[in-house]
Amino acid sequence: MNFFITLQAKKVKKYVFILTLAFVTAWFLFVQYGPGNPVFSTSNGPKAVYKGEKNVALTFNIGWGDEKAPLILDELENSHVKNATFFLSGSWAERHPHIVKRIQDQGYEIGMLGYNYLDYSQAEDQEVTKDMLKGKESFRKLGIVDIEYVRAPTGHFDKRFLSIAEKFGYTVVHWSVDSKDWTNPGVTRILKNINDTKQGDILLFHASDSAKQTAKALPAVLSVIQEKGLKMVTVSEMISNSSVKTKEIK
């Protein structure tokens, strides 16, 4: 009888130990990868961040031209916008280092659009890798070595790009609100396209010369955001200060 009780006690201790170990492990994983810390890849593979939990991130893509970007920087400065993220192609950055410096001097974050503004969904793996390496090198020559975020130049990408970006240590950033400013639909339409902006949204704008109406629309865009009581942050601030939503590419 005593032997039976002792045996049962040992089993209970064993189960308690296993449950305790499981709890500690779960707690550790929660602390490391929980709501406060975004996880960008899962067992299903890498994913692209497209939305946060709070605040809004104002982002601009630049691939060519030198006329519109300074106007947009003027508007941001005049409106006292301290936080924005600019995704630049390496070839553009090489040709316009003075504008890159101004983006930095105004305190804005810089992300990468590769080098040649390729459509990564249509390029071979080697070509994508080469383009990203060339882009990384072009920014290194400009003294920018701390880029963490990349965006597919044309917005089109697949799992291959996500995997390549992950190997380089980059986080792929998409968007949840598209202003469609590059289509030049008019200021009123641009405002309508971003009117439903809410907490956690990543907004896409362009500062290339092809986006002819963005600078004109920007003051009204900023008013809409401010009237909603939304705080503008950089992509890195959005990611580090809240949980994010990722988009799995099939």
Side-chain angles (χ1 to χ4, degrees):
M1 181 67 176
N2 289 336
F3 173 77
F4 177 75
I5 293 174
T6 301
L7 186 61
Q8 289 298 98
K10 286 183 177 180
K11 285 185 177 180
V12 170
K13 286 181 180 179
K14 180 180 178 182
Y15 292 141
V16 169
F17 173 76
I18 292 172
L19 287 171
T20 301
L21 182 62
F23 175 79
V24 171
T25 302
W27 177 84
F28 174 78
L29 291 172
F30 176 82
V31 169
Q32 188 171 7
Y33 301 110
N37 298 287
V39 180
F40 303 112
S41 61
T42 68
S43 57
N44 294 323
K47 296 182 181 180
V49 174
Y50 74 99
K51 192 175 177 66
E53 185 179 49
K54 58 183 180 179
N55 304 319
V56 295
L58 202 61
T59 70
F60 298 87
N61 286 6
I62 309 182
W64 70 279
D66 61 357
E67 295 180 5
K68 302 304 179 184
L71 297 178
I72 286 171
L73 289 168
D74 287 343
E75 292 294 347
L76 292 175
E77 188 172 32
N78 293 337
S79 298
H80 307 290
V81 175
K82 304 295 184 181
N83 301 302
T85 302
F86 284 79
F87 287 87
L88 316 175
S89 75
S91 59
W92 179 88
E94 284 181 345
R95 294 193 301 272
H96 308 289
H98 60 293
I99 302 180
V100 176
K101 185 177 184 304
R102 184 178 172 189
I103 291 171
Q104 289 180 294
D105 289 346
Q106 287 186 213
Y108 301 133
E109 182 173 54
I110 292 178
M112 187 172 72
L113 287 172
Y115 185 80
N116 279 320
Y117 217 87
L118 297 176
D119 183 346
Y120 285 163
S121 67
Q122 299 298 314
E124 297 293 332
D125 290 14
Q126 264 191 323
E127 193 176 6
V128 173
T129 300
K130 183 178 178 181
D131 188 70
M132 291 185 67
L133 280 172
K134 196 171 180 180
K136 182 178 181 180
E137 177 62 14
S138 66
F139 285 106
R140 187 194 65 78
K141 289 179 180 178
L142 292 171
I144 306 172
V145 296
D146 56 352
I147 291 178
E148 298 180 37
Y149 305 104
V150 298
R151 179 172 273 173
T154 62
H156 304 131
F157 60 94
D158 51 27
K159 284 186 175 181
R160 296 177 307 119
F161 169 57
L162 297 180
S163 296
I164 292 169
E166 188 178 53
K167 287 176 184 176
F168 280 114
Y170 294 128
T171 296
V172 177
V173 178
H174 201 52
W175 55 83
S176 55
V177 174
D178 187 353
S179 70
K180 294 183 170 60
D181 57 342
W182 63 275
T183 65
N184 300 306
V187 171
T188 301
R189 185 67 208 184
I190 290 174
L191 288 174
K192 187 174 181 180
N193 289 341
I194 63 95
N195 193 54
D196 290 333
T197 298
K198 53 189 176 297
Q199 290 280 3
D201 277 329
I202 297 176
L203 283 69
L204 171 67
F205 291 91
H206 296 78
S208 292
D209 283 1
S210 55
K212 304 179 186 302
Q213 300 160 344
T214 307
K216 187 177 179 180
L218 200 51
V221 167
L222 297 175
S223 292
V224 169
I225 294 172
Q226 289 162 354
E227 286 169 6
K228 289 174 176 282
L230 299 170
K231 179 183 177 183
M232 284 174 277
V233 298
T234 61
V235 166
S236 60
E237 288 173 324
M238 174 174 281
I239 289 174
S240 64
N241 293 331
S242 68
S243 62
V244 296
K245 294 182 179 179
T246 57
K247 195 169 189 177
E248 187 173 3
I249 306 303
K250 300 296 184 181

